[in-house]
Amino acid sequence: MIHVYEFWTIIISLVVVKLCHWVYKVDGFPNHRRDFGVMRPHDAFQLPTFLTKKILRYGPVFRTSLFGAKVIISADMGLNMEVTKTNHAPGAPKSLARLFGENNLFVQSRESHKHVRNLTTQFLGSQGLRLSMIQDIDSLARTHMETGAKNGGLDIKETTSKILIECLAKKVMGDMEADAAKELTHCWRYFPRGWFRFSWNIPGNGVYRMLKARKQMMNLLKETVLKKRASGEQFEEFFKIIFGEIEGGSQTMSIEEAIEYIFTLFVLANETTPAVLAATVKLINDNPKVKQELRREHERIVRDKTEKDETDLTGEDYKSMTFTQMVINESLRISSTVPTMLRMVEHDFHVGDYTIPAGWIFMGFPSKCTKDPLAFNPWRWEGKDLRGILSRTYMSFGVGSRLCLGAEFAKLQMSIFIHHLCRYRWSMKTETTVLRRFILMFPRGSDIQISEDT
C-alpha cells in the first residue's frame, strides 16, 4: 500500500511539473521561473547581478516572472525600439497599477494618455510658467541651502523633495491650509517602500500602507479643490487649463480625473528627481575634477550677476550651465540600470525567432554600448546636444509615446540645486551608498556636510 501511495505521489508530481512547464511556455524564449534576484538591492551605477548572469547564460532576451506578472526582459536595443514603437500601453506590475488607480488617465488607453500628455505639455511647456518655476526653485534652493549651512549639513534627497513638492503644490493647488500641507507631506513616507512589491494587499504590509496613504492623499487633494471652487478662490494655471478658463476652452476633465492626474504627477516627480539628484551629488563628490569644474562654472555665473547687481537666476543663466548639463546627462546615463522601457504587449508580437504573447509585460534595459560605459565621464558629452533626451545609448526618460514630459523640468531643478550647492564648501559623507531595487535607495541617507564659507 505504501509503495502504491509513493508511486501515485511521483506521478502527480510529474504531471504538476509538466503542466507548469506547459502553462508558462513561450515560443523561442529561454528560461522561465519566478525571479527573486531582481528584488535584491545592487550598486546603482552597475548593471544588476541578476541581469548580467542571465545575459551570460541565456543571451540579451529572456523570460521570467516578476511581481506576480509574466515578463520578457530585453537588453537588445533593436528589439526594445521595435516593441516600444508598436506597443503603447504601459507595462506595470499590479502593485504599481494599484498605486496609480484603475481609472488613472496615465495608464488607460492610448487616447487618454495622449490627452494627459497634451495637458502636461500645456502645464509644463508654458514659457511664463517655466520662468516662474525658475524663480520659485531658485528662491527655495537658496533658502534651504542657507539653512543647511547654518546647521552644518542637510539631506540632499529630503531637501530636494521639499523644494519640489512646495513648488509643484503652489503651481497646481495654489495656497494650501497649513494642516493640509503637513498631512500631504506625512503621506509621502509610505511610498518609496511600497512601489515595487508583490501585489498582495494584506493589512500591515507595504502595499496595504501604500494604498491607505494613497486614499488619504486623494481625499485631501479633492477636499482642497472642492473648497477652493466653492469659495470662488482663484485657481492656479493648471486648474485654469482643466476647467477651460484659458482662451475660452471647454472643460477638459472631471474633478475626479483631475485629482488622479495631480496625484500621479506628485508621486512621479517626488520619487524620481530627488533620488537622481542625490545620486548625482554622490558622483560629483567622488570625482574631484568634476567638482572643481562645476565650482568654476558657477563661480563665473555668480561673478557675472554680481557685476550686474543681480541676484535671482534667469533663463539665460540656466542655459549657460553647460558643464552642469553634461554632469546631469552623464549621471542619468550611468544610473539608468533599470528598465526604462515598460510596455504591456497588446498583441502577439513576432520578431526574428521570438514570439511575445499578448498580455505579457516587456521590460527593456537601455543599451550601454559606449566607450567605458560604467565610467562617470561628463566630458563624453562635450559638443553634443545637451537638450536632447533620447539616443540609442541615452534613454533615461523612456522611448516613444511614453517619453517623459517632465524631463526638462527635472533637469532644470537639478541644475539650480547644483548651482546653489557649488556656492558653498561641501562634502558628502563617505559612508553614503547608492543602491537600486528598481527605485534608487540610500540605506545610509544622502547627507552632506556644508560650511557657511561660500
Side-chain angles (χ1 to χ4, degrees):
M1 187 68 183
I2 293 175
H3 292 299
V4 172
Y5 174 78
E6 289 175 345
F7 171 77
W8 280 109
T9 300
I10 293 169
I11 293 297
I12 291 170
S13 299
L14 289 171
V15 170
V16 169
V17 169
K18 185 64 179 176
L19 279 171
C20 290
H21 177 75
W22 176 76
V23 167
Y24 290 127
K25 185 178 179 183
V26 183
D27 291 342
F29 289 100
N31 185 41
H32 181 94
R33 62 186 180 83
R34 296 194 180 278
D35 202 323
F36 295 101
V38 73
M39 293 299 292
R40 294 194 193 102
H42 65 90
D43 185 336
F45 307 127
Q46 304 287 329
L47 285 172
T49 305
F50 96 94
L51 181 66
T52 52
K53 284 183 176 178
K54 290 294 176 70
I55 289 174
L56 284 172
R57 185 173 180 182
Y58 300 111
V61 185
F62 57 90
R63 55 194 169 98
T64 187
S65 177
L66 301 174
F67 313 110
K70 291 177 280 188
V71 176
I72 297 293
I73 291 182
S74 167
D76 182 301
M77 193 47 57
L79 178 61
N80 293 351
M81 298 296 283
E82 199 65 34
V83 170
T84 51
K85 271 193 281 183
T86 54
N87 293 271
H88 306 281
K94 290 180 182 178
S95 58
L96 201 57
R98 281 178 174 175
L99 167 61
F100 293 128
E102 293 179 3
N103 299 319
N104 193 290
L105 294 173
F106 279 91
V107 295
Q108 284 187 15
S109 66
R110 185 180 181 184
E111 289 70 29
S112 69
H113 183 252
K114 190 181 291 184
H115 178 198
V116 294
R117 283 183 69 85
N118 291 336
L119 181 65
T120 308
T121 301
Q122 289 183 66
F123 176 49
L124 294 178
S126 160
Q127 184 64 23
L129 187 63
R130 190 177 300 158
L131 291 173
S132 173
M133 281 187 170
I134 289 176
Q135 293 166 4
D136 288 344
I137 296 169
D138 179 34
S139 174
L140 288 166
R142 181 185 290 110
T143 301
H144 280 284
M145 210 67 69
E146 288 172 354
T147 303
K150 288 176 184 176
N151 295 332
L154 56 82
D155 184 297
I156 296 289
K157 186 172 180 289
E158 184 180 302
T159 303
T160 314
S161 180
K162 287 177 182 176
I163 294 171
L164 179 62
I165 295 304
E166 193 170 337
C167 180
L168 276 181
K170 183 179 177 182
K171 296 302 176 192
V172 175
M173 305 295 294
D175 295 327
M176 290 182 71
E177 295 174 1
D179 289 344
K182 187 177 180 181
E183 188 180 342
L184 189 66
T185 304
H186 178 75
C187 290
W188 287 121
R189 63 189 179 127
Y190 293 106
F191 287 96
R193 290 168 288 178
W195 266 62
F196 287 94
R197 290 180 180 268
F198 294 101
S199 56
W200 303 310
N201 182 13
I202 303 170
N205 76 352
V207 173
Y208 176 85
R209 289 194 299 270
M210 180 180 71
L211 295 177
K212 186 178 178 181
R214 177 186 186 277
K215 186 177 180 180
Q216 282 180 267
M217 289 183 71
M218 295 288 286
N219 289 337
L220 184 64
L221 291 169
K222 186 173 183 178
E223 186 180 325
T224 302
V225 170
L226 293 177
K227 272 186 182 178
K228 281 178 175 287
R229 207 175 191 191
S231 66
E233 188 178 336
Q234 180 71 26
F235 279 104
E236 294 301 316
E237 186 170 348
F238 172 76
F239 271 104
K240 288 180 181 178
I241 294 169
I242 287 178
F243 297 139
E245 294 174 10
I246 291 182
E247 298 176 358
S250 59
Q251 184 165 324
T252 56
M253 62 171 71
S254 67
I255 291 285
E256 288 72 22
E257 288 173 332
I259 299 304
E260 292 271 6
Y261 176 94
I262 294 167
F263 170 79
T264 304
L265 188 68
F266 276 30
V267 170
L268 290 176
N270 193 55
E271 293 309 323
T272 52
T273 306
V276 172
L277 180 54
T280 302
V281 171
K282 167 66 175 172
L283 288 166
I284 295 169
N285 183 76
D286 294 350
N287 291 270
K289 286 185 179 179
V290 173
K291 192 174 182 179
Q292 184 180 21
E293 187 61 32
L294 280 171
R295 180 180 290 276
R296 195 175 290 131
E297 177 168 270
H298 292 285
E299 280 180 350
R300 173 185 53 76
I301 293 172
V302 172
R303 186 171 57 250
D304 290 348
K305 297 196 76 63
T306 302
E307 290 173 359
K308 296 175 184 176
D309 198 24
E310 297 175 352
T311 54
D312 298 340
L313 287 175
T314 64
E316 289 304 311
D317 295 325
Y318 170 57
K319 289 178 185 176
S320 73
M321 298 178 187
T322 305
F323 188 69
T324 305
Q325 291 293 315
M326 290 162 63
V327 169
I328 290 171
N329 278 9
E330 181 67 354
S331 171
L332 286 164
R333 184 197 67 79
I334 199 172
S335 63
S336 293
T337 53
V338 66
T340 56
M341 292 150 275
L342 292 165
R343 294 289 191 276
M344 176 68 72
V345 180
E346 299 167 34
H347 50 79
D348 285 359
F349 188 84
H350 305 280
V351 55
D353 297 328
Y354 301 138
T355 298
I356 306 176
W360 279 56
I361 290 176
F362 180 88
M363 290 186 173
F365 280 80
S367 171
K368 294 287 182 184
C369 54
T370 185
K371 187 179 178 182
D372 299 325
L374 299 178
F376 179 67
N377 176 19
W379 286 274
R380 75 170 81 238
W381 292 89
E382 208 159 17
K384 295 182 180 178
D385 178 13
L386 298 176
R387 295 181 64 84
I389 56 173
L390 176 65
S391 73
R392 289 186 69 85
T393 57
Y394 182 70
M395 298 184 176
S396 305
F397 295 103
V399 180
S401 61
R402 296 281 164 177
L403 192 68
C404 176
L405 287 174
E408 185 58 35
F409 176 65
K411 293 170 80 171
L412 171 71
Q413 187 191 3
M414 291 172 70
S415 297
I416 294 174
F417 189 95
I418 290 170
H419 167 76
H420 285 288
L421 181 62
C422 287
R423 297 180 65 181
Y424 294 83
R425 297 188 185 281
W426 64 274
S427 63
M428 185 166 258
K429 291 185 176 179
T430 53
E431 64 267 23
T432 302
T433 54
V434 189
L435 303 178
R436 257 203 192 279
R437 192 170 65 189
F438 270 82
I439 60 171
L440 288 168
M441 302 165 60
F442 299 82
R444 297 178 181 175
S446 55
D447 298 304
I448 61 166
Q449 296 157 326
I450 180 170
S451 166
E452 285 192 85
D453 179 20
T454 60

